[in-house]
Amino acid sequence: MADEKKLTPRAQDFSAWYNEVIMRAQMADYSPVRGCMVIRPNGYAIWELMTRGLDDMFKEHGVQNAYFPLFIPQSFLSKEAEHVEGFAPELAVVTHGGGKELEEPLVVRPTSETIIYSMYAKWIQSYRDLPVLMNQWCNVVRWEMRTRLFLRTAEFLWQEGHTAHVSEAEAEEFTLTILATYRRFAEEWMAMPVLTGRKTDSERFAGALRTYCIEALMQDNKALQAGTSHNLGQNFAKAFQVTYQSAEGGLEYVWNTSWGVSTRLVGALVMMHGDDNGIITPPKLAQYQVVVVPIWKSDEEKATVLQASQQVMRELKTGGIRAHLDAREGIKPGAKYYEWEGRGVPFRLEIGPRDVAAGSVMLARRTGGKKMPFATNGLVHSLRIEIDAMQQELLEAAKVRREQNSIRGVTKASFIDFMARDGGFAYGGWCGDAKCEADIKEQTKATIRCLPDEEFRSPEAPTVCMWCNSKATAEAVWAKAY
Ligand SMILES: [Zn+2]
């Protein structure tokens, strides 16, 4: 049964609130191994729905799933200089197997570019074999000591897509197609508005030509990188000799992309929509979109309301609505409401003897507002409208909140002030100098989240760098980040 102690309010300590919400909703727990987490069924259900939604979208673009090994020969990582340098500090390395020291240590994959491209070298011969569009759903390990449930753990679940193309233009196009797919998923499924754009060189993936990302603003005004899509150019193709015979008969290196989102998205969902009573799950990602709570006092009432509740359950199920009947004995309705609220169930249907007599049910929304009676007749139809409306409202509310916490055309002074106060997304000119970027980070803790795509840029392009006043090469969006 749920612990009825109130959660720490978000305004008081967002980080404490976040951990309490996840523990209270039984979404995850700490593991005996430091840095690792256990994803419990209530958390895994959300991830599972995420994977289904995304997987369908990838397949619409012709991507197929495959599976590559967990272990990678250590020498593979060294083949791409920038890649090994980027990942070396966080590698877990296996030196013994079957009681013997291994001839070559094996790295537990932090990401799979190297092993996948070593296989592509074998499989790709001709331009007719291209493009290769593969994805794998798997776990990866990056040795993290400062961990946060879902946001940063040593082992996490993700998908990593890896493609090979005949030209740079085609690889770039696919990189951006996936970026757009991530954005669509974030907005349509997670009700999470995101900025899309390119990472600066200092935030670029180790070994990539260009890294693109989706960035979201959490309720504490910190940014969260929610997904990345990389144009790898020919860096890995050259390291692993992934070549093909062109139509003209020459031997060419392929052009690669890689892209991924992880269980971090579950953490993003909590921080995007939760309130002081717990998580609010957008209906599309809710394990149960509706929970039915029958209310009775006498045995006679019990028989009536349970029968009516089961009938409602059958209709919801037939109508494709994910529903759960909470007919547990010995728990007061109020306690049940509290528990389901903490778990973020979008809608609750209360069915008491009077409702049965009136041919209706009481509908309560997780996002607040008055409870409303709905006729049992046509309930699926009414609920569908409510479900779509809540999904849309959550997105709209998140957009409004993001814009309220964004400023444009910052100067050095207004930027420092903004970051010292509540923070958020700050748009301003940037000179393109990594030194300037590093200074800003050191003095304000804010980093360039992305050089935003045109759609997100300010109407008037900045002319000078907001920090050093030299000529601006781009508009950038800064924020403190997870
Ligand atoms: Zn500058």
Side-chain angles (χ1 to χ4, degrees), residues 67-69 72 76 111-123 132 134-136 160-163 240 242:
Y67 187 78
F68 293 83
I72 300 177
F76 278 33
T111 178
S112 304
E113 276 76 6
T114 56
I115 195 155
I116 291 180
Y117 300 135
S118 78
M119 298 310 293
Y120 281 8
K122 234 172 115 177
W123 300 335
V132 171
M134 278 190 215
N135 175 62
Q136 74 169 341
E160 47 178 319
H162 295 273
T163 68
F240 288 91
V242 192

Side-chain angles (χ1 to χ4, degrees), residues 256-322:
N256 295 113
T257 81
S258 72
W259 27 278
V261 297
S262 71
T263 32
R264 182 169 237 231
L265 291 182
V266 179
L269 196 78
V270 173
M271 292 196 289
M272 176 60 56
H273 300 299
D275 65 12
D276 288 345
N277 297 321
I279 166 178
I280 295 177
T281 320
K284 274 194 164 181
L285 291 171
Q287 178 181 17
Y288 306 128
Q289 296 169 312
V290 177
V291 64
V292 176
V293 181
I295 302 163
W296 69 82
K297 288 203 176 80
S298 66
D299 282 350
E300 193 193 340
E301 285 178 357
K302 180 180 165 184
T304 315
V305 297
L306 278 185
Q307 199 193 13
S309 300
Q310 277 150 2
Q311 178 57 29
V312 164
M313 283 296 292
R314 277 192 291 276
E315 280 169 28
L316 296 181
K317 205 177 165 190
T318 312
I321 293 173
R322 293 189 291 274

Side-chain angles (χ1 to χ4, degrees), residues 27 43-58 135 137 150 157-159 181-182 185-186 189-192 224 226 261-270 272-273 279-287 322:
M27 295 169 69
Y44 200 85
I46 295 175
W47 175 242
E48 203 170 24
L49 287 163
M50 285 178 166
T51 63
R52 285 189 205 161
L54 278 164
D55 202 60
D56 286 348
M57 288 182 181
F58 297 153
N135 175 62
W137 291 96
F150 288 111
L157 305 181
W158 78 344
Q159 59 71 214
T181 302
Y182 285 158
F185 177 77
W189 287 69
M190 298 179 66
M192 180 171 85
L224 187 103
V261 297
S262 71
T263 32
R264 182 169 237 231
L265 291 182
V266 179
L269 196 78
V270 173
M272 176 60 56
H273 300 299
I279 166 178
I280 295 177
T281 320
K284 274 194 164 181
L285 291 171
Q287 178 181 17
R322 293 189 291 274

Side-chain angles (χ1 to χ4, degrees), residues 430-433 436 465 467-470:
W430 178 52
C431 58
D433 185 350
C436 205
C465 174
W467 195 258
C468 70
N469 259 324
S470 46

Side-chain angles (χ1 to χ4, degrees), residues 134-325:
M134 278 190 215
N135 175 62
Q136 74 169 341
W137 291 96
C138 66
N139 58 343
V140 286
V141 169
R142 297 176 186 178
W143 213 254
E144 293 277 0
M145 277 309 165
R146 293 177 53 214
T147 57
R148 296 288 307 277
L149 293 170
F150 288 111
L151 299 179
R152 192 176 292 280
T153 49
E155 181 192 10
F156 56 89
L157 305 181
W158 78 344
Q159 59 71 214
E160 47 178 319
H162 295 273
T163 68
H165 304 266
V166 290
S167 67
E168 181 175 12
E170 199 187 290
E172 180 75 4
E173 193 191 334
F174 203 80
T175 309
L176 296 176
T177 296
I178 292 296
L179 186 74
T181 302
Y182 285 158
R183 178 187 179 181
R184 203 179 114 205
F185 177 77
E187 295 184 347
E188 291 179 10
W189 287 69
M190 298 179 66
M192 180 171 85
V194 290
L195 301 181
T196 58
R198 189 163 61 82
K199 287 287 187 194
T200 62
D201 285 350
S202 67
E203 302 267 337
R204 185 169 45 82
F205 176 72
L209 209 59
R210 283 183 288 278
T211 289
Y212 300 90
C213 59
I214 54 169
E215 292 279 333
L217 194 64
M218 302 295 109
Q219 287 186 64
D220 60 348
N221 287 335
K222 278 165 85 174
L224 187 103
Q225 175 181 296
T228 47
S229 185
H230 318 287
N231 182 336
L232 301 175
Q234 293 179 311
N235 292 340
F236 288 92
K238 286 178 179 164
F240 288 91
Q241 293 301 309
V242 192
T243 55
Y244 70 96
Q245 195 159 47
S246 68
E248 294 75 34
L251 202 60
E252 308 274 349
Y253 289 109
V254 301
W255 298 83
N256 295 113
T257 81
S258 72
W259 27 278
V261 297
S262 71
T263 32
R264 182 169 237 231
L265 291 182
V266 179
L269 196 78
V270 173
M271 292 196 289
M272 176 60 56
H273 300 299
D275 65 12
D276 288 345
N277 297 321
I279 166 178
I280 295 177
T281 320
K284 274 194 164 181
L285 291 171
Q287 178 181 17
Y288 306 128
Q289 296 169 312
V290 177
V291 64
V292 176
V293 181
I295 302 163
W296 69 82
K297 288 203 176 80
S298 66
D299 282 350
E300 193 193 340
E301 285 178 357
K302 180 180 165 184
T304 315
V305 297
L306 278 185
Q307 199 193 13
S309 300
Q310 277 150 2
Q311 178 57 29
V312 164
M313 283 296 292
R314 277 192 291 276
E315 280 169 28
L316 296 181
K317 205 177 165 190
T318 312
I321 293 173
R322 293 189 291 274
H324 175 76
L325 173 64

